[in-house]
Amino acid sequence: MPKKLLLLPPLSVSSAFRVPRVTPAARQAMNAARTGYRVFSANSTAACTELAKRITEDVNTAVMELLIMAYALKTACARNIIGVIPYFPYSKQSKMRKRGSIVCKLLASMLAKAGLTHIITMDLHQKEIQGFFSFPVDNLRASPFLLQYIQEEIPNYRNAVIVAKSPDAAKRAQSYAERLRLGLAVIHGEAQCTELDMDDGRHSPPMVRNATVHPGLELPLMMAKEKPPITVVGDVGGSIAIIVDDIIDDVESFVAAAEILKERGAYKIYVMATHGILSAEAPRLIEESSIDEVVVTNTVPHEVQKLQCPKIKTVDISLILSEAIRRIHNGESMAYLFRNITVDD
């Protein structure tokens, strides 16, 4: 019986860190004799192009496949089942909005029930998501790879300014600016909307025209929020603007931020994020925008999007994932992978 079983669901495949296709009859075990652990991969990981299409159409298929594999290994009496999920799905749904469900918490409970005993992931949308799990979660960071890209691939990066496209991303942007010894700018105003302000259609209780109010109950009236005119806090004139965030999916807000930065005098604009979902019309919008380059890691395959938009560049993070797997298997400390990493990264 192997000591550890590592699950690589469709969400974890990268161009440089991929295992061979498994047969339908039985999932192929690899490296068991030498290393003492087996790596399992879902059937849908044969090609990045096929995988990218499936992820953009329905991520639930990948989640369900992972749950089935984990439960199969649990019933086979595996001692440890480690899931490698670089991009954790539903991570944006980690807060209760009105009476909506916290889907991220539900998924964490489902993974635990299926038999997973450990998860390796990267740049959770909210660090507090780790508290949803009843087993260890290693939340790796992509910031060292992205910072290295800035230093090595962006000419004259010393003349750059790190930009947060909304106040929500200010802490991450500040961390990057401090590491690179660069200036910081924050975009704030009516063109931006936070997650708490988004209208997701879940009004609870429903709107009632003739609502009955208890005569003894007098609640203070809440003033409606009104955002100020859009403003760039910080000077970007004559500089390279580097917008940093954790996820880039719908790119409208990034395109709008790029237009504002161009108006304020930035002569080149980069967008950097860990997870490049780039769904729907994202490649076309990026190609037609003022953005010069979008840099994302390969936590989610996006080969199809790169064919549609040459501005999209990829940073490989397979090295840190493979090192995390090796350290967990050998019982070594994971502290080395978090050296010089701050909470805001």
Side-chain angles (χ1 to χ4, degrees):
M1 182 184 304
K3 291 183 178 180
K4 294 180 176 65
L5 295 172
L6 301 176
L7 289 181
L8 296 175
L11 296 176
S12 68
V13 177
S14 64
S15 57
F17 187 65
R18 185 166 64 249
V19 296
R21 182 183 179 89
V22 296
T23 60
R27 295 180 177 86
Q28 183 180 4
M30 301 186 308
N31 300 329
R34 292 184 180 180
T35 61
Y37 65 90
R38 297 172 183 264
V39 179
F40 287 79
S41 178
N43 292 334
S44 57
T45 60
C48 282
T49 54
E50 178 186 356
L51 175 60
K53 181 179 178 181
R54 294 185 62 173
I55 288 178
T56 55
E57 288 178 351
D58 186 10
V59 70
N60 299 315
T61 302
V63 172
M64 194 63 196
E65 195 170 13
L66 172 62
L67 293 172
I68 293 173
M69 284 196 300
Y71 187 70
L73 297 172
K74 177 183 177 182
T75 55
C77 299
R79 189 174 68 184
N80 291 310
I81 306 173
I82 304 170
V84 183
I85 314 176
Y87 171 62
F88 194 80
Y90 296 105
S91 59
K92 282 193 173 183
Q93 295 176 264
S94 58
K95 300 176 183 178
M96 179 173 288
R97 300 174 190 151
K98 299 176 181 179
R99 295 280 181 91
S101 62
I102 306 177
V103 184
C104 192
K105 168 62 175 175
L106 172 63
L107 182 56
S109 301
M110 292 169 63
L111 292 172
K113 188 68 175 179
L116 284 172
T117 59
H118 199 135
I119 280 182
I120 302 172
T121 187
M122 178 164 284
D123 279 339
L124 289 170
H125 185 59
Q126 298 289 342
K127 307 299 187 297
E128 295 80 4
I129 292 176
Q130 293 174 272
F132 291 165
F133 295 87
S134 58
F135 50 79
V137 176
D138 286 313
N139 182 27
L140 304 177
R141 306 293 201 277
S143 56
F145 298 91
L146 296 177
L147 290 169
Q148 183 181 23
Y149 185 93
I150 293 174
Q151 294 173 315
E152 297 179 357
E153 302 296 333
I154 298 182
N156 196 23
Y157 83 92
R158 290 292 183 185
N159 188 35
V161 175
I162 304 299
V163 180
K165 71 178 181 67
S166 68
D168 294 337
K171 288 186 177 181
R172 180 184 298 271
Q174 181 181 357
S175 177
Y176 275 63
E178 291 176 350
R179 290 171 180 275
L180 295 169
R181 277 58 171 181
L182 299 177
L184 175 67
V186 180
I187 298 177
H188 175 62
E190 59 186 5
Q192 303 296 324
C193 62
T194 64
E195 292 177 20
L196 297 177
D197 297 328
M198 290 192 300
D199 184 8
D200 54 11
R202 294 174 287 190
H203 294 286
S204 179
M207 299 299 291
V208 180
R209 292 184 179 179
N210 298 321
T212 303
V213 181
H214 192 277
L217 182 62
E218 295 183 2
L219 297 177
L221 294 177
M222 295 295 293
M223 295 182 62
K225 293 178 65 176
E226 182 177 351
K227 293 190 175 182
I230 191 164
T231 306
V232 178
V233 182
D235 184 17
V236 296
S239 302
I240 301 171
I242 304 176
I243 305 173
V244 297
D245 213 331
D246 61 331
I247 300 174
I248 176 169
D249 188 359
D250 298 325
V251 299
E252 285 84 356
S253 60
F254 292 93
V255 171
E259 294 294 335
I260 296 298
L261 293 171
K262 276 288 186 182
E263 294 176 4
R264 297 298 191 275
Y267 68 90
K268 204 163 188 179
I269 299 172
Y270 292 81
V271 175
M272 310 197 75
T274 302
H275 309 295
I277 311 300
L278 301 171
S279 60
E281 296 295 316
R284 180 183 63 81
L285 294 175
I286 293 172
E287 186 66 23
E288 298 173 355
S289 71
S290 302
I291 298 173
D292 293 285
E293 193 169 286
V294 173
V295 183
V296 293
T297 72
N298 53 352
T299 55
V300 177
H302 45 266
E303 298 302 319
V304 174
Q305 290 89 334
K306 289 178 68 175
L307 293 175
Q308 299 171 352
C309 177
K311 292 182 179 180
I312 301 173
K313 308 298 181 183
T314 306
V315 175
D316 180 32
I317 45 82
S318 60
L319 177 65
I320 193 171
L321 293 175
S322 58
E323 179 62 15
I325 293 172
R326 188 193 68 80
R327 286 177 173 272
I328 291 175
H329 171 66
N330 294 331
E332 299 177 19
S333 173
M334 296 287 286
Y336 176 78
L337 302 181
F338 295 94
R339 68 191 190 285
N340 299 326
I341 296 294
T342 65
V343 177
D344 297 326
D345 279 359

